[in-house]
Amino acid sequence: MISPEWILVDEDAENKQDCIKKLITALQASGDVADPEKLYSDIMDREALSSTSVGSGCAIPHAHSTAIGCTRVAALRPKKPIDFQGPDGEEVRLVFLMAGPKKDTGIHLKVLSKIARLLHDPAYRSKFLEAPDAESFYAVLCQTET
């Protein structure tokens, strides 16, 4: 569902829209994104309902979309914090983007919940923020499986 190739560490991202576009571009390497513009539109439509900032400097933009064949996750740690217009007003330092088809609703909810739990854990947040590269960031995710 996630690969080190889809993790961007210390990436230049000017704003929320730029961040989401970069994550979609990274996900295109999976071969599962049929229409990146449609996926972007679906994610931004979801974002318009309410910010996907979950607090503590983290956001999880997500959407169901016909533009992607199966549920995928990408992550981005920006060089500079990004304003996600979250309810707490805190800028975002960790972004996990998740997208998948409607048929994957059960998986979507499980993964979304797991990512949210990880990001609310100060120890994991610190590990993600301190990871020197995509492989180390991915290794932190893999530690959560044990």
Side-chain angles (χ1 to χ4, degrees):
M1 212 169 284
I2 188 167
S3 165
E5 297 170 20
W6 315 330
I7 298 171
L8 308 173
V9 172
D10 297 332
E11 185 75 15
D12 285 318
E14 294 185 26
N15 53 40
K16 173 172 49 173
Q17 294 80 3
D18 187 39
C19 176
I20 290 170
K21 286 178 182 176
K22 286 178 183 262
L23 285 163
I24 290 170
T25 298
L27 273 184
Q28 285 182 269
S30 72
D32 294 311
V33 179
D35 184 346
E37 291 83 18
K38 169 79 170 125
L39 182 55
Y40 176 77
S41 175
D42 291 342
I43 289 169
M44 294 310 293
D45 287 349
R46 167 57 189 88
E47 197 68 32
L49 296 173
S50 66
S51 175
T52 53
S53 172
V54 295
S56 302
C58 303
I60 314 171
H62 58 280
H64 292 294
S65 178
T66 57
I68 190 164
C70 59
T71 299
R72 294 286 182 228
V73 177
L76 185 143
R77 186 180 73 202
K79 277 186 184 177
K80 296 179 184 174
I82 299 171
D83 182 6
F84 253 73
Q85 295 93 34
D88 64 356
E90 188 174 345
E91 291 187 317
V92 168
R93 299 172 300 146
L94 290 171
V95 181
F96 283 78
L97 181 140
M98 185 177 64
K102 286 191 182 205
K103 70 177 177 68
D104 284 358
T105 300
I107 293 168
H108 191 95
L109 292 173
K110 284 181 185 177
V111 174
L112 185 60
S113 174
K114 180 164 184 147
I115 293 169
R117 278 194 315 273
L118 283 176
L119 294 177
H120 280 99
D121 183 325
Y124 277 108
R125 269 197 322 275
S126 291
K127 289 178 184 180
F128 288 129
L129 291 169
E130 294 167 3
D133 53 36
E135 289 76 19
S136 301
F137 194 104
Y138 181 75
V140 172
L141 280 172
C142 292
Q143 291 171 6
T144 70
E145 297 301 321
T146 57

